[in-house]
Amino acid sequence: MKINTTTGLLNDCRQCPSPNKDSRPENVTIDLIVVHSISLPPGQYGSNKIEHFFQNKLNKNDHPYFAEIHEMQVSSHVLIKRSGEIVQFVPFHERAWHAGQSNYNGRDRCNDFSIGIELEGTDTGPFEDEQYKQLSHLISVLKDAYPTISDNLTGHSDISPGRKKDPGTGFDWNRLNNQP
Ligand SMILES: [Zn+2]
């Protein structure tokens, strides 16, 4: 796994470009990783509905929940599916729309300075071995490419408390930190 720091893209990973992005503010330093979880429909795995959602292609007639969310314009930089497959939506040097209203150590608008990683999962369920492996590997590659990240790793629920619950109670931070 490698990052081309000119294009902001991972090599050998599926690219699904999202229109839900823009430029980061000038002179911003990328220094935070935010971990999320998502599944569409909620609790169901293995479809390509998350990719459709982040590409504004979700069909509102496919599921009652899709009718609620299909007009939301959101994205993340990458998604790690249950199989461990990584899909990229937004180049890392651009701003993905993943965190919304948020605050990290006194700094608002975390999208400005963070990289958003979605895990296919729910707020309450466990995650797969392959997801921990790939997430750990991806984090180390991101830290190499953007050393200012250092150890700044957080969950969406920590930067948007009361509003967000992901990655959820089934996500084991110790397990992530103890990956070989
Ligand atoms: Zn989230």
Side-chain angles (χ1 to χ4, degrees):
M1 199 187 295
K2 274 189 189 149
I3 295 171
N4 179 325
T5 49
T6 304
T7 62
L9 299 179
L10 280 167
N11 70 342
D12 59 20
C13 109
R14 181 155 59 95
Q15 297 291 333
C16 274
S18 171
N20 305 326
K21 64 172 175 86
D22 53 12
S23 299
R24 295 181 188 271
E26 273 183 53
N27 301 319
V28 78
T29 301
I30 297 169
D31 60 7
L32 177 66
I33 292 172
V34 181
V35 179
H36 302 256
S37 65
I38 186 173
S39 50
L40 291 175
Q44 294 182 36
Y45 302 143
S47 78
N48 51 10
K49 301 304 182 190
I50 303 168
E51 289 93 317
H52 288 176
F53 182 41
F54 289 166
Q55 295 189 300
N56 302 339
K57 291 176 182 169
L58 208 53
N59 185 335
K60 67 180 190 320
N61 300 315
D62 281 356
H63 189 277
Y65 184 61
F66 297 174
E68 287 178 37
I69 64 167
H70 78 284
E71 288 184 324
M72 291 176 68
Q73 296 186 324
V74 293
S75 63
S76 66
H77 289 92
V78 297
L79 165 69
I80 304 177
K81 304 195 82 169
R82 302 298 289 185
S83 63
E85 185 198 6
I86 296 182
V87 184
Q88 183 164 16
F89 299 92
V90 175
F92 295 116
H93 60 270
E94 295 194 82
R95 179 168 61 182
W97 301 348
H98 58 98
Q101 191 182 350
S102 51
N103 183 288
Y104 180 76
N105 284 350
R107 299 154 70 200
D108 287 329
R109 296 184 303 278
C110 295
N111 285 344
D112 289 357
F113 52 89
S114 69
I115 287 170
I117 301 176
E118 293 276 3
L119 302 173
E120 188 180 16
T122 69
D123 287 352
T124 52
F127 294 84
E128 300 287 343
D129 288 343
E130 283 304 316
Q131 291 181 298
Y132 283 101
K133 276 186 208 162
Q134 290 283 58
L135 177 58
S136 174
H137 191 180
L138 176 58
I139 288 169
S140 72
V141 168
L142 284 167
K143 285 181 179 181
D144 284 345
Y146 306 100
T148 42
I149 290 171
S150 184
D151 291 323
N152 297 314
L153 180 65
T154 192
H156 199 185
S157 55
D158 295 309
I159 58 169
S160 302
R163 196 172 69 80
K164 291 290 175 181
K165 292 181 175 164
D166 62 307
T169 51
F171 185 73
D172 187 342
W173 291 96
N174 286 326
R175 185 168 166 189
L176 174 64
N177 293 328
N178 291 316
Q179 287 291 305

